[in-house]
Amino acid sequence: MSVSITDTKSAELYARALQRLPGGVNSPVRAMRAIGRDPIFIDRAEGAEIVDVDGNRYVDYVCSWGPLIHGHAHPEIVDAVITATRRGTSYGAPTAGEVDLADEVARRFPSVEMLRMTSSGTEASMSAIRLARAVTGRTTLLKFAGAYHGHVDGLLAQAGSGLATAGIPASPGVPESATHETVIVPWNDGEAVAKACAEHELAAILAEPYPANMGLVPPVEGFLELLRNKADENGALLVFDEVITGFRVAAGGVQERAGVAADLTVMGKVIGGGLPAAAYGGSRALMDNIAPAGDVYQAGTLSGNPLAVAAGLATLRMLDDAAYVRLSATTEALASGLRDAAAGAGVPVAVTTVPGLLTIFFAETAPRDYAGAQACDHEAYAAFCRGLLARGVYPPPSQYEAWFPSLAHTSEHLDLTLDAAHAAFAEL
Ligand SMILES: *Cc1c(COP(=O)(O)O)cnc(C)c1O
């Protein structure tokens, strides 16, 4: 039974948008090209549900790609933002809220004694790299194939052939000069990391400690410890990009769960509670190099914006231990329901999960690295997503993006999702 939804208004808006916005959108994945359909224009959202401009209602598993751990338009967050707005939207001068938020972050991340706020995760990772290069006096970076750290030139690099290759630009407009100092190795490949460390003096090893931008591909046992050791041996800084995982997989991110501390941590998404905010931080000794305490320059007109800080503070303050237990249970229930639904329909899938994140890979076994994620059946994922959307479930429209269950997802939402999944699998 395929349900038809009307999409007249979305189609009209898309036609207009294509005239003014490249591809009709302001960030590429929203266009839904990877799943072979046109984008859906959103009118409003509440809790775990979004409503499009044609009045169709969906259970949302994108949740703005991670910030909305409490779901959409949570009353306490909305109130905090409205209250802040009435007091002025931006001053270009420091506020108490920024100090409070820095305290809240430091309390959760023992490795982050000091931090600097930015407006996006891209800026935060760019600035963390600048700091790593400044303090080590080195330029070369190690990153992992399939990891995303924002659209920083030097990190928009893809692997050439073979292990531990110098990066080649992953986009026109990114000069080779920006990527030839980025070394790219496969995720979960300890030998490749060791080889790269033997061949290069690195400024930083940069990793999403639970990579979630090639789908969720958790580290194999001991891999994060290996990164910590190799960084120390090499004299490089270990930079964990916890933009997705920070405050989500645990209060203190992957560092808390894995017991491996980074030298610098990049944060974003949840920290801004749905408004533009991100940060990078580390030890006092490292962060005191940032201007004006030190001479590593970095600035931002809207950095530490009072609205974003208010949303971030309200978000973090509601994340108590019980919240993480609940988010983990929701994630597990969704994962096992999806596995059962796929098995019932005889569709081979592998569902990876950590608290608050999951990916359903259309493959017999879960990928260990980017090559594995690339080898999945992307056509089947696309068809599955189209089937879900037709039944009121809004999944991340790419095999490379993780699902973001939230604290607003109830057992009714999961039931509706799994009914839709059963039907969508049966159609494949
Ligand atoms: C989203 C993301 C970024 C970039 O953050 P923006 O705010 O989109 O610039 C960086 N790193 C990771 C791991 C992300 O998921």
Side-chain angles (χ1 to χ4, degrees):
M1 170 203 67
S2 185
V3 189
S4 67
I5 58 167
T6 32
D7 60 0
T8 328
K9 288 183 181 158
S10 267
E12 283 169 12
L13 280 170
Y14 185 41
R16 271 182 60 205
L18 283 170
Q19 302 304 310
R20 295 290 182 204
L21 305 167
V25 292
N26 279 311
S27 197
V29 188
R30 299 176 193 174
M32 294 195 163
R33 291 191 178 181
I35 62 163
R37 56 153 297 152
D38 291 346
I40 294 169
F41 283 70
I42 305 304
D43 179 55
R44 62 187 190 276
E46 65 212 14
E49 299 177 17
I50 48 176
V51 181
D52 71 15
V53 288
D54 290 287
N56 303 299
R57 188 172 279 270
Y58 307 86
V59 181
D60 182 18
Y61 290 100
V62 172
C63 288
S64 190
W65 303 100
L68 304 179
I69 196 165
H70 298 290
H72 295 273
H74 189 287
E76 284 189 37
I77 299 169
V78 171
D79 281 350
V81 173
I82 289 173
T83 304
T85 305
R86 293 214 167 92
R87 298 163 64 161
T89 53
S90 182
Y91 316 117
T95 61
E98 293 160 84
V99 189
D100 291 341
L101 184 56
D103 277 345
E104 293 283 346
V105 171
R107 213 153 57 70
R108 289 164 174 80
F109 280 82
S111 70
V112 178
E113 292 176 333
M114 296 184 104
L115 60 93
R116 166 62 59 84
M117 293 190 67
T118 63
S119 298
S120 70
T122 296
E123 281 174 87
S125 50
M126 181 181 82
S127 308
I129 288 163
R130 182 176 302 151
L131 175 56
R133 285 174 163 159
V135 300
T136 59
R138 300 168 172 187
T139 51
T140 307
L141 306 169
L142 181 75
K143 92 174 267 288
F144 294 93
Y148 181 66
H149 306 290
H151 57 93
V152 181
D153 273 359
L155 300 178
L156 270 189
Q158 60 195 14
S161 54
L163 295 183
T165 49
I168 55 174
S171 164
V174 174
E176 268 171 45
S177 58
T179 58
H180 86 254
E181 307 206 289
T182 308
V183 175
I184 302 187
V185 297
W187 179 244
N188 277 328
D189 187 337
E191 278 178 34
V193 174
K195 182 165 180 284
C197 287
E199 289 174 359
H200 301 275
E201 289 196 335
L202 299 168
I205 296 178
L206 185 60
E208 290 181 76
Y210 291 171
N213 283 291
M214 49 175 134
L216 175 67
V217 183
V220 295
E221 188 72 33
F223 191 65
L224 298 180
E225 289 81 354
L226 176 134
L227 297 185
R228 179 68 273 173
N229 293 337
K230 289 293 165 197
D232 289 342
E233 276 172 31
N234 189 274
L237 296 192
L238 181 61
V239 182
F240 276 172
D241 179 347
E242 297 228 40
V243 167
I244 283 181
T245 52
F247 319 104
R248 172 172 287 275
V249 301
V254 178
Q255 294 176 60
E256 176 184 326
R257 281 178 62 81
V260 176
D263 298 306
L264 291 175
T265 302
V266 184
M267 291 160 276
K269 298 190 169 122
V270 171
I271 200 176
L275 272 77
Y280 61 104
S283 68
R284 194 159 281 120
L286 284 175
M287 293 304 292
D288 262 338
N289 289 290
I290 301 295
D295 53 8
V296 179
Y297 191 71
Q298 188 267 312
T301 301
L302 294 178
S303 295
N305 174 263
L307 275 52
V309 165
L313 271 174
T315 296
L316 293 190
R317 284 176 176 158
M318 287 189 286
L319 288 170
D320 55 11
D321 290 346
Y324 289 104
V325 171
R326 200 148 55 79
L327 186 61
S328 184
T330 300
T331 311
E332 280 310 315
L334 179 60
S336 66
L338 288 171
R339 287 184 191 110
D340 291 348
V347 178
V349 302
V351 181
T352 54
T353 148
V354 296
L357 292 170
L358 71 81
T359 296
I360 175 162
F361 287 108
F362 283 72
E364 302 274 351
T365 54
R368 277 174 56 100
D369 57 19
Y370 188 46
Q374 287 174 303
C376 291
D377 187 344
H378 292 245
E379 285 302 318
Y381 183 81
F384 178 62
C385 288
R386 293 193 301 267
L388 290 179
L389 283 164
R391 294 174 177 85
V393 175
Y394 192 111
S398 163
Q399 177 73 92
Y400 294 122
E401 307 286 352
W403 293 45
F404 293 93
S406 79
L407 291 159
H409 287 80
T410 63
S411 55
E412 288 76 35
H413 290 125
L414 295 193
D415 289 347
L416 190 153
T417 303
L418 296 175
D419 285 348
H422 272 282
F425 280 128
E427 271 177 3
L428 292 182

